[in-house]
Amino acid sequence: MKDQTEADTTWLMLRIYYYPQFMEGLVDLAWSERYEILKTLYDKGHPDATWDVRSDTPMEDMMEYVSRKGYFKFFCAGTVVNQDGSFKFHSQLTECLKEEGF
Amino acid sequence: MSEIPKDIVDFARLTAGNFEQKIITVREVFMNKVSGEPASGIGFCTKHKGKALTHKKAGKDRMMVEFNVSDGENTIECVAHNAEDAYLPGGLGTDELTSLIDDLDQSQKMGSKLEIYGNYINNGAKRVFLVDALSLEAGFMHSQMTTEQFVTFKNLCKKNDISPMDLMMRDDTLWAELYAKDYLKKAILLFCLSPERKQDMIHIGIVSSHGEGKDHLVERVIEPLVPCRLVGSGKMATIPGLFGAMSGDDLSCLEVGLLPKMNHQRVAISEFQTWDDSTFGELMNMMANGSVSIQKGNLDVTRETTENLLFLGNPPNHYNEEDYEKKDMLAAFGKYTHQIVSRLSLIFTQLSLAGDDATGMIRNAILKSMDRDFDNEAMKETLEMWRSFFREYLAYVSHIRPNLREYAPRINSNYDVLESKSQFKLAFNIRNKRDNRKYQEFANLVRGFARLQGDDQIGIHHVGEAYKIFSKSLSTLTEEFPIKALEYGIDYKLIDIHTRLLSKCSEATTKAEIQSKIKVSDANLAELVKLKAVIKFDSDDTYLVREFDWDSLEASP
């Protein structure tokens, strides 16, 4: 089995402590705001294949995508984890972080 | 709530049964003043001075040391000497007396506790306690828990898949007598660690409505668990009483105050909003440096005050949420608010500490206390057993010094996230690009959580917990006790909503359209209209969000 790297350890920490806060902040937003953030994060994580407006109802498209894939993909797209274990969030992701049920 | 594994309970009971309970008191000595029976007690040296003995019977070059030992409530006037028995029995050898003076000096300077043994005698016209033996009492800094006991306990926790911190947070161990949210329990446990160096100090502030059980927290949770003194309010807590003052009997010596006495321990300050500005001013150096310098007369001394402070306060009586007169709450720390807030590792400013959903549990705890359920022998024994066990556990783990630098990339990134939040600058009034004090406080929280867990290496959970509690503190500061917004008497949430509205709604639009873009309640929208941050056009029932200078509110009636 592959040894756990520094980056893996950081991802574990982010999944436990930050992702719930991201979710808490995100679902508190109206869908129009949420859409903008999700689109920004998606584009950040996929610079070569940005979120295309697929139809006349992009927000509904996003809702449908989220219902299938969940939010974690967006969280990952807005996060950069370095080999030494340090990490950095996209500013939009940071602003979404909201202290959840403690 | 599941039961605590039996092997852990059995181990804790067996281990705690062997711990000797050390209490700072000289009451026994005080009570033997009349009988003159041998007695012992623990306290602090508040002053000492040497006196030459010139009587022929005393012998050549002999002396007497006069000193006071106090537990904060009673003060014992003590003497020790090296005179011949013909002059006064109970004399010490030269080396013993030298060592005694050294211990007294250390107790006075470092706030170390002393244990004294002896009996009362008449010396001239005075009744004094003649000390046969004196030792520096390391019991409160030094743990009675052995390394073997600590390792066994950790292994038992691992085997049962429960952490030491989880055990300490349970309602059937340390929190039986008070209902509190988890974040508050964690903060109090951090406060219960004993700071060895100034970087270890963890100062906490709690501002909440009256009747939230803050004093109960000190009386029923902290004081039975670890040594902690409660400082009085307003005029009751004088600067000489807190820091020390020149002795009235001898101007060349200093009587130490409460803070130097509690070196390496902790002090809770109740009703801090009643304190004068000047008291906070004197406290600032102590909070940052872990020592106080006193220059008075021909004295120039420094006393160590490496201890944790807990500030407990209320909003003023006239405060109520509806009127948003929160400006007065901000004045709780007086003109040094920002400086004190900067020195607090954590500050929780919530009107309700437990939350509305906890009413049933709080009432249950109150009734249990009133029915004196905790006086029941079995329950009392169990509570005392856990307190005794964890008292020594906390003293033990306070000495663990996990290396932070090895975890620096993650600690730095976590702190960067906190620092980049808009709430951070708002809460701490940061003017510089970086706030190194807050960084140090955050790193100390990381280490604090590692200590509570009894870990000698930093891990993701320590960093994660530090992030969570810091973030919680930040959110209560800005959302529930918004410093900046408070100055304008406005809830920060409302300002936040206005900012978001401004970016999303540039033209006049209907309420339905606004609410489809931004989550805003009718009440908040009405409030913004009232403040004229949003203009309502009655003709077509539309709203226009306008640029609004919140500073202008300050001058408005």
Side-chain angles (χ1 to χ4, degrees), chain A residues 6 10 18 21 28 32 102, chain B residues 183 410 414 467 517 519:
Chain A
E6 291 292 324
T10 295
Y18 283 87
Q21 289 202 341
D28 205 30
S32 56
F102 205 70
Chain B
Y183 74 85
R410 272 181 213 103
N414 273 275
Y467 166 77
K517 290 179 178 173
K519 233 179 181 176

Side-chain angles (χ1 to χ4, degrees), chain A residues 29-88:
Chain A
L29 299 172
W31 254 103
S32 56
E33 282 181 288
R34 209 185 301 184
Y35 168 76
E36 292 298 330
I37 291 172
L38 293 174
K39 184 179 175 306
T40 308
L41 294 178
Y42 184 93
D43 291 351
K44 168 82 174 39
H46 306 84
D48 301 330
T50 54
W51 179 267
D52 294 323
V53 176
R54 294 149 196 227
S55 67
D56 294 339
T57 54
M59 210 187 306
E60 278 77 0
D61 291 347
M62 182 65 88
M63 287 174 181
E64 190 272 332
Y65 184 83
V66 165
S67 69
R68 278 190 293 114
K69 303 271 187 181
Y71 288 105
F72 193 61
K73 210 175 163 58
F74 296 93
F75 180 77
C76 296
T79 308
V80 177
V81 176
N82 303 314
Q83 279 185 344
D84 65 354
S86 62
F87 64 92
K88 195 167 168 53

Side-chain angles (χ1 to χ4, degrees), chain B residues 145-263:
Chain B
M145 183 175 274
T146 64
T147 304
E148 195 185 346
Q149 286 168 337
F150 172 75
V151 171
T152 309
F153 174 60
K154 283 280 289 173
N155 288 339
L156 281 173
C157 287
K158 197 173 174 185
K159 185 185 130 200
N160 288 290
D161 198 21
I162 189 166
S163 76
M165 195 166 81
D166 290 342
L167 277 173
M168 286 190 280
M169 285 176 54
R170 288 176 64 104
D171 292 338
D172 52 358
T173 57
L174 304 179
W175 296 85
E177 298 189 53
L178 181 89
Y179 175 79
K181 290 257 184 189
D182 280 358
Y183 74 85
L184 197 60
K185 290 180 180 176
K186 287 175 185 174
I188 295 302
L189 289 174
L190 288 166
F191 173 71
C192 288
L193 291 167
S194 302
E196 211 176 339
R197 303 178 194 184
K198 70 173 186 179
Q199 292 91 343
D200 298 333
M201 294 191 293
I202 295 176
H203 307 309
I204 295 169
I206 299 175
V207 183
S208 74
S209 200
H210 43 264
E212 283 291 314
K214 291 187 291 294
D215 289 339
H216 202 66
L217 173 74
V218 178
E219 286 164 23
R220 298 298 179 132
V221 180
I222 302 171
E223 282 182 338
L225 179 63
V226 287
C228 177
R229 296 288 298 187
L230 193 63
V231 180
S233 53
K235 302 280 183 284
M236 301 295 128
T238 61
I239 290 174
L242 286 174
F243 298 93
M246 286 156 83
S247 163
D249 298 338
D250 178 2
L251 296 182
S252 64
C253 77
L254 185 88
E255 297 199 21
V256 292
L258 176 69
L259 295 173
K261 275 183 202 163
M262 295 309 285
N263 192 21

